[in-house]
Amino acid sequence: GMKTVVFPVAGLGTRFLPATKAVPKEMLPVVDKPLIQYAVEEAVSAGAETLIFVTGRTKNAIADHFDTAYELETELASKNKNDLLEIAQSVVPKNVSCLYVRQSQPLGLGHAILCAKPMVQESVFGVILPDDLIYNPQSPALAQLAQHHGQTGSSVVSVSEVRPEHVSRYGVVDAPSFEGRSGRLQGIVEKPNPEDAPSNLAVVGRYVLSSEIFSILENTEADHRGEIQITDAIATLLKHHPVDAYRFEGQQFDCGNKLGFLQATVTLGTKHAEVGEAFADWLNQIEH
Ligand code: G1P
């Protein structure tokens, strides 16, 4: 099974300036958890035991977040604040290892994933882009993909339908015949013009990939933006290895932009165990 998940987190987060001047965008909280922690919890519930963060300068807060916070924990323990101590200590389970590697140049998502190559020991691994928050507490999205991989042996990319005028923001798949939630990929293109798009099924930030992708990435040319795209590598992979598009179940938020981030905050806020009810009541009042 899939035991390793890669988190590309080297991006600068300029869309959230000034909030992201000194704080990595992945550390911005949705209600009370940083974005990256939602991604990590999803990976762990999909069976991951090794988490690889592809970071950059200015991203040390991410490593600190998943490390022991000695002073804080000592302080909470001495005051018998056990509930808070438990929260601080359970950001990542004890059997899970966190590894960090730097992407020293902004050469694109494919290059970021390639940076994890020396640390990936298995023949298959997962990728989560933390900007894409997918809410499904019963069945986390990456676990759905991992299960499909387990049943078929295929590599898997998560997709969802987008409005035709929005296809140019995403990787877009050509998967003409779906059975249930999955369809074999025949092609995939990065950010096509709407008139050239093979479908309106866009890639959302979850992948289960054969480690063959690494040697393909090493031979994938940068695109016109100077970036090595994972999409282009997948387009090569599918020529000799089965890759499936998988329509996951769950509510998806693009937390890479302000509107999506606000929508996630409101939706998860109304579901929050502590403040959800009060927040939903208040929302109802201000709406009318
Ligand atoms: C990346 C991928 C794209 C995918 C998207 C999902 O694009 O290159 O194929 O659809 O993530 O969020 P980015 O959002 O980094 O421009």
Side-chain angles (χ1 to χ4, degrees):
M2 184 208 63
K3 295 272 175 239
T4 303
V5 174
V6 175
F7 304 89
V9 289
L12 287 177
T14 50
R15 284 188 189 143
F16 285 93
L17 282 170
T20 49
K21 197 177 166 198
V23 175
K25 66 171 171 174
E26 296 81 8
M27 289 303 295
L28 299 179
V30 173
V31 192
D32 55 6
K33 268 193 263 183
L35 262 184
I36 186 67
Q37 194 176 331
Y38 289 92
V40 160
E41 288 177 1
E42 184 179 328
V44 168
S45 69
E49 292 173 1
T50 303
L51 311 180
I52 303 173
F53 299 85
V54 183
T55 70
R57 290 165 47 72
T58 78
K59 299 286 182 162
N60 293 335
I62 296 175
D64 289 344
H65 183 72
F66 293 106
D67 195 1
T68 305
Y70 182 78
E71 303 88 334
L72 173 69
E73 291 176 28
T74 308
E75 180 77 11
L76 293 174
S78 76
K79 295 195 168 145
N80 286 320
K81 296 194 172 167
N82 294 324
D83 294 357
L84 294 175
L85 184 61
E86 165 68 17
I87 292 174
Q89 288 179 334
S90 64
V91 288
V92 68
K94 301 240 178 316
N95 66 317
V96 172
S97 315
C98 295
L99 308 179
Y100 300 87
V101 59
R102 292 272 188 114
Q103 183 187 23
S104 307
Q105 292 163 288
L107 296 180
L109 178 57
H111 177 260
I113 292 169
L114 182 54
C115 291
K117 179 186 176 191
M119 293 173 168
V120 174
Q121 308 292 331
E122 284 97 14
S123 61
V124 62
F125 65 100
V127 177
I128 294 184
L129 310 185
D131 279 1
D132 288 326
L133 178 59
I134 303 178
Y135 182 76
N136 185 338
Q138 275 74 48
S139 174
L142 190 66
Q144 298 175 42
L145 268 63
Q147 189 184 23
H148 182 74
H149 166 78
Q151 288 163 354
T152 60
S154 304
S155 290
V156 197
V157 300
S158 61
V159 297
S160 79
E161 267 171 43
V162 297
R163 299 228 292 274
E165 64 268 30
H166 289 166
V167 288
S168 57
R169 301 178 185 177
Y170 301 96
V172 178
V173 301
D174 180 12
S177 51
F178 263 75
E179 268 178 47
R181 296 199 161 267
S182 70
R184 181 62 41 88
L185 228 66
Q186 294 190 357
I188 182 168
V189 286
E190 182 68 6
K191 302 192 172 82
N193 293 323
E195 59 274 21
D196 304 327
S199 73
N200 65 340
L201 285 177
V203 177
V204 179
R206 304 291 182 276
Y207 308 80
V208 174
L209 295 170
S210 158
S211 59
E212 273 184 69
I213 201 78
F214 290 127
S215 56
I216 296 173
L217 280 166
E218 283 166 339
N219 293 298
T220 300
E221 305 274 332
D223 67 2
H224 62 279
R225 297 183 203 88
E227 297 188 346
I228 296 170
Q229 297 297 349
I230 189 64
T231 299
D232 294 339
I234 293 170
T236 303
L237 179 68
L238 63 83
K239 291 176 186 161
H240 62 269
H241 168 90
V243 184
D244 290 343
Y246 190 88
R247 258 197 274 238
F248 59 93
E249 224 176 319
Q251 197 176 355
Q252 168 216 339
F253 301 96
D254 180 1
C255 292
N257 71 62
K258 286 169 202 166
L259 182 61
F261 198 96
L262 286 168
Q263 290 164 339
T265 300
V266 170
T267 304
L268 273 67
T270 60
K271 296 178 193 296
H272 191 273
E274 191 185 312
V275 296
E277 236 181 36
F279 183 50
D281 285 349
W282 178 78
L283 275 178
N284 277 328
Q285 283 170 30
I286 62 166
E287 272 166 15
H288 300 118

